[in-house]
Amino acid sequence: MEEKELVEQLKKGDKEAEELFVEKYAPFIFNIIFQITRRKNLTEDVVQDVFLIALKDINKFGAGSALSTWLYRIAANRAKYILFREGRQKVWEKDAVEKRVIDNTPEEYKKDKLKEIIWKGMEFLNENEREIITLIDIEGMKYYEASKLLNIPVGTVRSRVARARERLRNIILKWNFFKEELSNK
C-alpha cells in the first residue's frame, strides 16, 4: 500500500491500515527511541505512546512531509519529554541503579563482538550523537534523508556524523574496548 493511500485509510479509521502502519514503522521508531532512552522497557512504552498519538492525530498529518518524518518527530519529542519528566521527578534514580546492574545490550549485538563494542561505546555519547549515528550508520539513511528528517542542512548532518564518529572512535580507544581483541593478535 502506498503511503498516500495508507494515510487516507488511517484517516478513515481502517483497522487493517492501522496494523500495517504499526508493522511498517515500528522497527524504525523502536531503534530511534532506544538510542535516546537506552532502556528496552521504556522504549517499548514510548513506542506504544507514539503510535497512539499518531493514530489520534493522523488528521493533522500534512501531505507536505513523509510519514516517517512526521512519526520520527513525534517519537523523538515523546522520548525526550519522558526523559525530561523523569529527570525532574527523580524517578530515573531507580532506573539508573537497574541500568548499572542489567546489561541492556541487545542479544543480536552480544553475538557480534564488534557490534557489542560499538553499543557499549555509544553509551558514552550524548543523545544527539547517538541519534545521528543511529540514523546514518544503523538505519542506513542517506545524508539528505536525515537532513529532511531532522530539518537541518545536509552540511550540518555531515559535520554531526563526522564529529559523532570521531567521538565514538575516541571513546572506544580510551576505554580500551579492544584490549582483548588486540592481545589475541
Side-chain angles (χ1 to χ4, degrees):
M1 183 180 300
E2 292 292 321
E3 184 174 292
K4 186 177 180 180
E5 183 183 347
L6 177 62
V7 171
E8 288 173 16
Q9 294 301 316
L10 289 171
K11 287 180 178 182
K12 292 178 184 176
D14 184 300
K15 295 299 177 193
E16 286 182 34
E18 288 177 5
E19 288 178 21
L20 179 63
F21 175 61
V22 172
E23 187 178 300
K24 181 176 181 178
Y25 292 101
F28 170 68
I29 297 303
F30 183 89
N31 281 339
I32 296 301
I33 295 171
F34 194 50
Q35 291 301 331
I36 294 170
T37 68
R38 307 296 279 183
R39 293 179 286 171
K40 187 177 181 193
N41 290 340
L42 179 59
T43 298
E44 290 168 347
D45 291 344
V46 175
V47 168
Q48 287 180 355
D49 286 352
V50 167
F51 283 103
L52 290 173
I53 292 167
L55 290 169
K56 182 177 79 74
D57 292 346
I58 192 68
N59 289 321
K60 295 178 184 177
F61 173 72
S65 67
L67 194 54
S68 60
T69 302
W70 184 68
L71 268 176
Y72 169 82
R73 288 188 181 130
I74 293 171
N77 288 338
R78 186 68 183 155
K80 291 173 185 177
Y81 168 76
I82 287 174
L83 290 176
F84 172 76
R85 189 183 69 200
E86 279 185 351
R88 288 190 52 135
Q89 295 175 353
K90 301 293 182 193
V91 173
W92 61 271
E93 290 176 21
K94 179 180 175 234
D95 289 334
V97 170
E98 288 176 10
K99 186 177 177 183
R100 280 186 232 119
V101 175
I102 299 170
D103 179 10
N104 67 354
T105 306
E107 287 301 316
E108 65 269 17
Y109 286 20
K110 289 181 181 180
K111 296 174 185 172
D112 183 330
K113 187 69 173 171
L114 184 59
K115 285 182 180 179
E116 185 176 10
I117 289 168
I118 291 169
W119 176 264
K120 288 179 181 177
M122 284 183 65
E123 288 281 336
F124 296 93
L125 296 179
N126 68 43
E127 181 180 300
N128 291 330
E129 292 166 332
R130 283 195 309 267
E131 178 180 54
I132 199 72
I133 286 179
T134 299
L135 292 175
I136 301 299
D137 295 328
I138 296 174
E139 288 295 322
M141 269 190 188
K142 304 289 183 207
Y143 287 3
Y144 72 90
E145 293 172 323
S147 168
K148 284 183 178 180
L149 191 67
L150 298 171
N151 199 25
I152 58 176
V154 173
T156 303
V157 170
R158 289 181 196 281
S159 63
R160 283 186 186 177
V161 168
R163 282 194 306 268
R165 286 175 179 162
E166 181 65 18
R167 186 139 183 278
L168 179 58
R169 179 185 171 280
N170 290 335
I171 287 167
I172 289 170
L173 292 173
K174 177 182 174 186
W175 289 97
N176 208 6
F177 288 124
F178 285 108
K179 185 177 184 178
E180 293 173 15
E181 297 295 317
L182 294 174
S183 65
N184 292 335
K185 293 187 177 188

